[in-house]
């Protein structure tokens, strides 16, 4: 890694390496959740101290809610993404987890009658309710 000062300034004297940090027990973090993740659409919100989930679709941000656990936020992201893009969605977890669970693909949505979407327009409230 490139540093601003000589690397020797950072070595020794109480510095903890990534491998040492990973090997440390969870209690060493004093209850503060690990805020490093590799999920698409999931971000740590400093103000609410929760995981924020959102995705972009047709030049708009779709807010999916706040979650206590990053994995839950990633699953919410995946479900909405599969709802919007069908089987071609790039999900955080295997797409097979979502295709057989009653999610509607774009082709199925296009074939459905106009009033059968389940009511009210959806939006963030429907997404937060688990749609």
């Amino acid at each position: 890694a490139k540093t601003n000062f000589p690397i020797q300034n950072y070595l020794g004297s109480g510095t903890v390496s990534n491998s040492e940090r990973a090997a440390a027990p969870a209690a060493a973090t004093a209850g503060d959740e690990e805020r490093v993740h590799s999920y698409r659409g999931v971000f740590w919100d400093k103000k609410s101290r929760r995981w924020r989930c959102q995705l972009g679709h047709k030049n708009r941000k779709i807010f999916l809610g706040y979650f206590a656990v990053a994995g839950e936020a990633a699953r919410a992201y995946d479900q909405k993404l599969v709802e919007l893009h069908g089987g071609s969605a790039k999900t955080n977890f295997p797409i097979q987890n979502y295709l057989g669970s009653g999610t509607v693909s774009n082709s199925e949505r296009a074939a459905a009658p106009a009033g059968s979407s389940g009511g009210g327009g959806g939006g963030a409230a429907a997404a937060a309710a688990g749609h």
Side-chain angles (χ1 to χ4, degrees):
K2 187 174 180 181
T3 60
N4 292 326
F5 301 100
I7 193 74
Q8 291 78 15
N9 292 2
Y10 301 101
L11 300 176
S13 70
T15 314
V16 179
S17 71
N18 286 339
S19 59
E20 291 171 327
R21 188 175 296 117
T29 60
D32 195 16
E33 184 174 357
E34 179 77 22
R35 290 192 280 286
V36 177
H37 66 87
S38 59
Y39 297 125
R40 291 173 171 266
V42 178
F43 312 92
W44 179 252
D45 187 296
K46 289 181 183 178
K47 188 174 182 181
S48 69
R49 297 186 52 80
R50 293 183 290 173
W51 292 101
R52 178 184 172 97
C53 180
Q54 70 182 35
L55 61 88
H57 181 68
K58 295 186 178 181
N59 290 331
R60 293 190 169 214
K61 288 183 183 176
I62 300 173
F63 174 71
L64 299 174
Y66 292 102
F67 298 84
V69 180
E72 290 177 11
R75 284 181 187 83
Y77 172 89
D78 287 355
Q79 289 172 349
K80 186 65 174 179
L81 200 64
V82 169
E83 179 184 322
L84 296 171
H85 296 286
S88 65
K90 288 182 99 176
T91 57
N92 292 301
F93 300 104
I95 197 163
Q96 291 79 15
N97 295 355
Y98 309 104
L99 291 178
S101 64
T103 356
V104 180
S105 71
N106 284 340
S107 58
E108 291 169 339
R109 188 179 301 113
S116 67
S117 66
H131 289 274

